Amino acid sequence: MQELGRLEDLPQDYRDALNRNHLVPLWPSLRNVMPPHVPRPRTRPIAWPYQAIRPLLMQAGELTPIEKAERRVLVLANPGHGLEKMQASASIYLGMQLLLPGEWAPSHRHTPNAVRMVVEGQGAWSTVDGEKCPMERGDLILTPTGLWHEHGHDGDEPVVWLDVLDLPLAYYLEVAYHIDGPRQQPRPGRGDRAYARGGVAPTQVFTRSAKPYPMLRYPWKDARAALLELATDRPDLDCVQVTYTNPETGGDCENILGFYALMLRPGQTLTLPARSPACVFHVIEGGASVQAVDQHMELSTADTCCIPGWASATLRNASASEPAFLFLADEAPLHRKLGLYETRA
Ligand SMILES: [Fe+2]
């Protein structure tokens, strides 16, 4: 490959003249911004064990009242991007959020899309676009772009959930903002009931939803049952995975990030090919190891890890008797829409 000229090769007076005129020579940086054959992601493979997060999150509950936080969140920041950037990958933000009994995280809406994956506790709920969604462990709750949402807690123990947002992308695009609103009045009608059975959706001519996001809550019991039945029905299938979809369009449930549930059979080792999007793994039940790039990460229940794009990953369920269930988030819908999606063997 041709060696390109360096900045230091240029006379200082010429570089000064470029600076004064807000001009930059491309060739010294060309190989960095467009490296040969494969990108060089800043995203590093990294794991965030829940046992490290939980005590600090509970401490935040003592140190900072909800009124002073609005959202009491510890952000899972990837050091490859710098902690201050508060991003797990180029487009994914992860936060672990605590809501204590009786607390209310007030209503607001914002441009970034979000989802919640409930990690522990009972009795919390999210009202999204007027739909009151119970929050049970393993449930996926959507709060897509522009929809009002608030969180409350009628139970008697702390509730924790994992927030996944496309905030880094919205921030980079300079479109990130929020609006505060009044407390929502829940309305009747729940998408998790109307669309409870895949393949049987409310008939369009009478009841087609005017909502772009007709289903906001994806109960874990349904996703778990779908995985177990898929595993039984297809013993030949290596990747026992389901995608959280919009039940009316069949497409991804949100526009930018994709969300999935994966089951590893007892003792299974699964190698996923290198793909352009970065990916997050969060263990809902059981334990798994994730090997990617130069990192071997042992994940227990409620642990979370992130791997960069362009890296294959080998997942292993160490239990010989029990399946492991993981929640996945990736940037695949975004890459596909932009025509940038790639898989490499
Ligand atoms: Fe929010």
Side-chain angles (χ1 to χ4, degrees), residues 126-134 140-142 147 187-202 207-219 221-222 244-248:
S126 292
T127 300
V128 187
D129 194 27
E131 181 175 329
K132 191 170 181 178
C133 302
L140 182 73
I141 313 280
L142 308 189
L147 296 193
R187 296 190 296 270
R190 278 179 45 176
D192 60 338
R193 291 179 178 155
Y195 299 91
R197 288 167 182 81
V200 184
T207 59
R208 185 178 179 91
S209 172
K211 299 176 178 178
Y213 306 97
M215 190 164 171
L216 296 168
R217 174 179 183 244
Y218 296 74
K221 67 175 177 57
D222 293 339
Y244 292 98
T245 59
N246 179 319
E248 290 200 347

Side-chain angles (χ1 to χ4, degrees), residues 108 110 116 149:
H108 72 184
H110 39 69
R116 332 283 164 193
H149 56 279

Side-chain angles (χ1 to χ4, degrees), residues 71 97 106 108-110 112 114 116 143 147 149-151 163 165 178:
R71 300 304 194 257
Q97 181 159 174
H108 72 184
R109 60 189 175 107
H110 39 69
R116 332 283 164 193
T143 61
L147 296 193
H149 56 279
E150 63 189 86
H151 313 292
D163 291 317
L165 280 77
H178 87 282

Side-chain angles (χ1 to χ4, degrees), residues 53-108:
I53 298 172
R54 192 180 190 282
L56 294 169
L57 195 53
M58 295 303 152
Q59 208 175 342
E62 296 163 12
L63 294 171
T64 307
I66 192 73
E67 297 76 21
K68 291 287 183 187
E70 283 192 17
R71 300 304 194 257
R72 193 191 287 110
V73 176
L74 295 180
V75 178
L76 283 55
N78 193 311
H81 290 273
L83 298 186
E84 72 286 355
K85 292 285 182 62
M86 297 197 301
Q87 58 192 93
S89 74
S91 302
I92 302 175
Y93 157 106
L94 299 173
M96 206 61 89
Q97 181 159 174
L98 169 68
L99 197 65
L100 293 170
E103 290 186 335
W104 176 59
S107 188
H108 72 184

Side-chain angles (χ1 to χ4, degrees), residues 274-290:
R275 305 180 316 140
S276 54
C279 187
V280 169
F281 301 92
H282 171 82
V283 181
I284 300 176
E285 284 183 45
S289 64
V290 178

